Amino acid sequence: MDSTAKADSTELAEYAAMLRRRWWVVVAGAMLGLAIAGAGLVLLPKSYVSTAIVQVTATDPEVPKSNGGKNDFSLETEAQRLRSTEVTSLVQKRIGASDSPLALGRRVQVTVPPNSSVLVIEWAAASSGKARAGAQAFAEAYLQNRNQKAVQRLQSQAAVLEKQINDVRTKLATAGATQRRVLSAQINAFSNKLTDLQVAAANVDGGEIITSASPPAGPSSPDPVKFLPSGLAGGLLLGIILAIMYDRFDRRVRVAGDVERVLDLPVLLSIPQRRGKEELGLLPARSRSGQNFHELAHELTATLGHGNHVILVTGAAPGPGSSIVSVNLAAALARTGSNVLLVCANLQSPLAADLLGLHRGAGLSELLLARVELRDVVRRNHALPSLATITPGADVDLAAEMLQREQMARLIGSLREKARFTVVEAPSTELGADAQALADLSDAALIVVETPRTKYAQIRDGVRRIHRMGAAVLGAVVLPKQDEIAVTTPAPSLPREPRDMPPRRRDGSAGSGAQLPAPMPAPSAPKEPRRAAAHAAREPGPRRDPLTGEADQPRPRKHARPAAPDAGPLDDQDKPNDKTITLSKVNLDAFVPPDDAVSPAADTLTDKAAQKVNRPRPPEGGA
């Protein structure tokens, strides 16, 4: 199939989809056409038509004999004679019509069937009786006028012959014997011809009515057989035109083809609205929509090339579409074996964390507010080991303005060095400048379009804002509106501890907050070796970065509290956690204030982060 045929088929498919989308407009137009046709049948005046058929014959019996049996008249000429004033005047007198003879001539319908010598006369009137009287009157008036004309013509010919006979008889009185014989012969010939003319004039017959007019059984107009189908066809045509106009003037995106047709923006992925309404959430890898996201992931990998990249996912209109797309895109990239980090920068929407089964604890908000370390906010889902996630956090109102500051730029720069792909879920471009600020830190961007929520102007403005920041808009991801679609949330990766429960050790035993028997004191043992032994017993080995798999070099935490010289064994907060991520290249100085004061919002953090921030300060003088 060539490109022209493919374009034509695509255009036809778009029109078919548009008609399916606006079917109610087409149906309304068809119903309107039928209603108008029905109203016409009831309200329009009834018209009855009666028909009379007249056969036309020659009025001079000698003409057909001399012309080889052909008539000396034209039926088209006779049809015009039927509409003449002489005939219509006779009709006016017969039916007592108030119309003028000219108006009657315009109303009568005369047709000449081919290869025939008949005239079909039709007369329409408001009642069947008047219709029959009019048609019959025209037929009789026409024949009367035709016979009168024939008689007048024959009589004029007879008068000429009589004059000739009289002239011959005058000459006969003075003629000689020989001339008298010639003149007598002329008189006899003229007399015979005169006799024939007189006989013809007495028996003239210009035609006959072979079908007399009869009262019609019903009105001929308006005809239901013609009106109703015509009204339906006209209504369908009107409905199609209105549907096209309504669709063209509609400012909302209805199908993915509208994005390419109106905005010339390529559609990288389109999830159609199905009757079954496939639930959108963290889609299974082998589902149809999940495979579509895998194709998108491969296209992005091939387009961006080698190296580490930051991909921005934002919606043209506010809605959950950007969260769904960012989660599934990050999952699809992670299934290819790449290290992927999902940054939930849409602080007002915890949907991404819910889709991945991550509890709503400390996250990006607390990280930007310098309340926690980066290793404490990176979480994972057990089903996607190569996907790390930074959830929005709890204090989103306080951290809302931090997305446009230098702290966010430093964080994205550090994450870029560690992860193959960093997927940033940004707020909608219509809600503010957050998406623009994040676009300045990204290599490429995807615009999420929810149909039919998103408008063309929103997409156009969003693309223009991102282009101004230097990020390349690769295309759009189109999916149906998610307000009324149930979201599939997977099971959380790890059980969440209640607030009133103490932290647990890795082996499942109770932490330091549990009511355990106090150990027997060992006064002879020095404190420092005991602390070192406790560290050696609890340290499982070097901490590894889950993004790269490399061993993370231990370094002192900037905001760690100094331990008292006689402090007891370390609690679980000092133990390394394999479920967290440590990025050695992150400049935590930009996030941690010099004075490590107790956070007033520590109750909104996770258990571990809250214990870390609100840990009581040990006395400066030791135990």
Side-chain angles (χ1 to χ4, degrees), residues 437-454:
L438 295 173
D440 188 30
L441 310 175
S442 305
D443 302 324
L446 297 179
I447 298 293
V448 179
V449 177
E450 295 185 52
T451 58
R453 172 188 287 127
T454 309

Side-chain angles (χ1 to χ4, degrees), residues 121-315:
I121 305 171
E122 294 180 351
W123 180 255
S127 63
S128 60
K130 293 181 179 180
R132 187 206 66 80
Q136 191 69 20
F138 267 98
E140 294 175 354
Y142 165 73
L143 291 178
Q144 179 183 350
N145 178 264
R146 180 175 173 78
N147 291 334
Q148 289 178 354
K149 292 294 184 180
V151 170
Q152 292 175 1
R153 185 176 65 255
L154 293 175
Q155 288 178 352
S156 64
Q157 293 177 1
V160 173
L161 287 176
E162 288 179 354
K163 183 179 180 181
Q164 291 178 351
I165 291 173
N166 292 332
D167 292 342
V168 172
R169 285 178 179 175
T170 303
K171 293 180 182 179
L172 183 61
T174 61
T178 304
Q179 190 177 7
R180 289 174 65 85
R181 288 194 297 270
V182 175
L183 294 174
S184 297
Q186 290 180 354
I187 292 173
N188 293 332
F190 287 156
S191 297
N192 293 334
K193 190 173 183 180
L194 178 60
T195 302
D196 293 338
L197 290 176
Q198 291 174 349
V199 173
N203 299 313
V204 68
D205 185 10
E208 61 177 339
I209 301 176
I210 60 177
T211 301
S212 299
S214 60
S220 60
S221 178
D223 187 5
V225 178
K226 296 180 180 179
F227 257 60
L228 294 180
S230 300
L232 179 61
L236 285 175
L237 181 60
L238 177 63
I240 292 174
I241 295 175
L242 291 178
I244 294 175
M245 294 178 61
Y246 185 81
D247 195 76
R248 288 295 182 264
F249 286 102
D250 189 6
R251 300 304 179 186
R252 297 184 182 273
V253 180
R254 300 292 175 176
V255 293
D258 294 341
V259 178
E260 296 180 343
R261 176 179 56 83
V262 178
L263 304 175
D264 197 21
L265 181 66
V267 176
L268 303 180
L269 173 61
S270 174
I271 300 178
Q273 179 73 57
R274 298 184 176 91
R275 290 185 177 180
K277 291 187 178 181
E278 181 182 7
E279 295 182 352
L280 297 182
L282 182 55
L283 300 172
R286 304 307 301 176
S287 65
R288 180 180 301 180
S289 299
Q291 288 297 307
N292 292 336
F293 275 99
H294 283 194
E295 294 178 2
L296 176 60
H298 293 309
E299 291 180 5
L300 293 180
T301 302
T303 301
L304 297 177
H306 299 286
N308 299 350
H309 300 283
V310 178
I311 303 173
L312 178 71
V313 179
T314 180

Side-chain angles (χ1 to χ4, degrees), residues 533-588:
H535 274 289
R538 289 181 178 140
E539 184 64 43
R543 193 175 302 165
R544 295 186 178 274
D545 190 342
L547 290 179
T548 60
E550 300 176 356
D552 189 15
Q553 298 297 328
R555 57 185 178 88
R557 291 180 295 177
K558 186 177 183 59
H559 61 292
R561 303 294 182 185
D566 57 347
L570 296 180
D571 57 9
D572 288 342
Q573 300 179 42
D574 297 324
K575 291 170 56 177
N577 190 351
D578 291 340
K579 299 297 181 181
T580 59
I581 180 172
T582 301
L583 300 181
S584 58
K585 297 184 180 181
V586 177
N587 185 7
L588 295 179

